[in-house]
Amino acid sequence: MLFAIGKEIRKARRGRKGSQAELARVLGMSRTTIGQIENGTAQDIGARKLIRILEFLGLELRVRPLGAPPTLDELREKEGD
């Protein structure tokens, strides 16, 4: 799951033509931390830190039951990718 979140963060950051260093500077984090989050290898990432990154990039985190089928909105979003 963290890998998928990190992949979306990287995609959004690149879509804004920003670097890991720029994102880290704006959010007061290290570039290493941003890289680890994007790669899904961050050992310990707090929810507040993750939410700050997501909000800055215009993303949101959704929670739903494990194994639940995708919603119609989620299917539509995948069509746009």
Side-chain angles (χ1 to χ4, degrees):
M1 178 189 289
L2 291 179
F3 180 76
I5 293 170
K7 182 178 172 184
E8 291 302 316
I9 288 172
R10 177 183 294 119
K11 182 177 162 185
R13 176 184 55 77
R14 287 180 174 170
R16 295 176 133 216
K17 307 230 185 298
S19 69
Q20 289 180 346
E22 290 168 333
L23 181 60
R25 181 183 50 76
V26 168
L27 297 175
M29 299 177 193
S30 73
R31 193 222 47 85
T32 300
T33 297
I34 300 297
Q36 289 174 341
I37 291 168
E38 288 186 356
N39 292 322
T41 60
Q43 294 296 318
D44 185 25
I45 177 172
R48 287 186 184 130
K49 191 178 287 187
L50 181 59
I51 290 169
R52 281 182 33 222
I53 295 168
L54 294 172
E55 286 179 347
F56 181 81
L57 294 171
L59 301 173
E60 67 180 18
L61 189 60
R62 295 181 187 172
V63 178
R64 63 185 178 113
L66 186 63
T71 65
L72 183 56
D73 288 338
E74 290 170 337
L75 292 172
R76 285 181 180 149
E77 287 174 7
K78 286 195 179 226
E79 286 179 4
D81 286 346

